[in-house]
Amino acid sequence: MITVLIVDDHSVVRQGLRYLLEQEDGIEVVGDCPDGASAVTAARGLAPTVVLLDLFLPDASGLDVLARIKRDRPATEVLMLTSSTADEHLLAAIRAGALAYLPKTAGVDDVVASVRAAARGESRLDPRIAARLVREVREAGPPAGPLHTLSPRETQVLAQLARGRSNREIAKTLAITEETVKAHVSSILAKLQLSDRTQAAIFGLQQGLVPLGEALD
């Protein structure tokens, strides 16, 4: 069961998202919040699979709320809800740990598909934003990092993360179970002191584990 927490200061948006998601098999909306403070508390207590989080909240920046949720619940994936089309806002959300973003104008099919993809650890990024991320990685160059602390298998998993693969896809590629993949991802994040798989993917790209031309396909 995919559990979802909805965070938006507009009640109509919350009610609309709740209604359409509750029509879907395998998805349960466990709560909705109008502001950042209640969202952090709810995410901590409800441990949702996915949080739909408004980028602009009345009491806090959505990016700050995102960081607090990811710190408390690293396994929870966050999709940013936004009416902004500014690249800098969307890139900031991805850098802060959001798996992807969802325009408030998105259709029903896109919303449901994005939630299901997030639950699988998959990122549905606009190609324009993906390209910007890759360019930033190229310009930053390979940083010094504790890559040597990873086991050979963890390095293979990190390379798959850098390719944008889900846990299911990594398991199939490496002929291991999804539970084993999850364990490796948790270990990678702990060893590299990263908060989420998006940061791990960017780190893997910076380390040259995957050619940039093959990243984020």
Side-chain angles (χ1 to χ4, degrees):
M1 178 67 70
I2 301 170
T3 56
V4 179
L5 174 67
I6 301 167
V7 184
D8 195 288
D9 60 327
H10 294 96
S11 61
V12 172
V13 174
R14 296 197 308 275
Q15 292 168 7
L17 287 171
R18 176 184 280 273
Y19 176 79
L20 73 88
L21 289 173
E22 286 182 340
Q23 310 310 305
E24 297 294 320
D25 292 336
I27 297 178
E28 177 186 4
V29 178
V30 293
D32 61 79
C33 303
D35 53 48
S38 60
V40 172
T41 300
R44 187 180 299 130
L46 297 172
T49 311
V50 178
V51 175
L52 295 176
L53 175 63
D54 191 357
L55 183 59
F56 303 107
L57 295 168
D59 64 333
S61 162
L63 298 180
D64 291 339
V65 175
L66 165 63
R68 293 174 65 184
I69 290 175
K70 292 300 292 184
R71 183 177 64 244
D72 292 342
R73 292 285 311 166
T76 292
E77 299 293 0
V78 179
L79 294 177
M80 299 305 293
L81 289 170
T82 179
S83 56
S84 172
T85 58
D87 285 3
E88 53 269 26
H89 289 154
L90 307 179
L91 284 165
I94 300 302
R95 293 191 203 100
L99 188 62
Y101 66 91
L102 191 62
K104 290 188 177 181
T105 55
V108 173
D109 291 344
D110 284 341
V111 173
V112 173
S114 293
V115 169
R116 293 193 186 280
R120 297 191 299 268
E122 298 175 2
S123 178
R124 289 165 56 89
L125 283 179
D126 183 293
R128 185 186 73 255
I129 299 301
R132 281 283 299 274
L133 286 171
V134 170
R135 283 199 298 272
E136 286 191 2
V137 169
R138 180 184 293 117
E139 291 167 1
L147 191 61
H148 66 276
T149 64
L150 303 184
S151 69
R153 178 63 88 184
E154 287 170 345
T155 302
Q156 290 177 329
V157 171
L158 179 59
Q160 293 297 313
L161 290 176
R163 293 178 183 274
R165 302 292 190 260
S166 67
N167 286 352
R168 180 177 300 175
E169 290 170 328
I170 295 172
K172 183 177 180 179
T173 299
L174 300 181
I176 56 180
T177 68
E178 286 189 57
E179 288 301 316
T180 299
V181 173
K182 290 180 182 178
H184 284 316
V185 171
S186 295
S187 179
I188 289 167
L189 297 181
K191 287 182 178 181
L192 300 180
Q193 297 183 331
L194 300 172
S195 63
D196 56 66
R197 61 193 295 133
T198 301
Q199 292 184 2
I202 292 173
F203 179 84
L205 288 172
Q206 290 174 325
Q207 294 292 327
L209 295 181
V210 176
L212 287 172
E214 298 178 17
L216 298 174
D217 287 337

